[in-house]
């Protein structure tokens, strides 16, 4: 294998790795946004006054 083709192969490997890292970063940002949205939805669905007082008669 000559130096030129080896250099090209290593360069392409680096580019592919960089693209992979960028895509994972975007995916992480999207997951964080979805998680924040889910937390907001769960907070809005909570009704704190229900179950706070229990009347028990035997």
């Amino acid at each position: 294998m000559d130096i030129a083709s080896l250099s090209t192969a290593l360069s392409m490997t680096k580019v592919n790795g960089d693209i992979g890292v960028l895509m994972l970063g975007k995916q992480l940002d999207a997951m964080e946004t979805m998680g924040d949205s889910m937390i907001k939805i769960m907070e809005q669905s909570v009704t704190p006054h229900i179950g706070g007082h229990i009347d028990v008669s035997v």
Side-chain angles (χ1 to χ4, degrees):
M1 183 179 261
D2 62 343
I3 301 294
S5 62
L6 182 61
S7 175
T8 303
L10 288 174
S11 178
M12 289 301 295
T13 302
K14 183 183 179 321
V15 168
N16 287 337
D18 291 345
I19 290 172
V21 168
L22 288 173
M23 293 299 292
L24 286 174
K26 293 284 185 181
Q27 218 171 13
L28 180 60
D29 292 342
M31 289 295 165
E32 285 177 355
T33 302
M34 287 174 49
D36 291 342
S37 298
M38 186 173 287
I39 288 171
K40 287 179 184 176
I41 290 170
M42 291 175 69
E43 286 173 348
Q44 291 174 353
S45 70
V46 173
T47 51
H49 62 280
I50 294 178
H53 303 287
I54 301 174
D55 294 331
V56 178
S57 52
V58 178

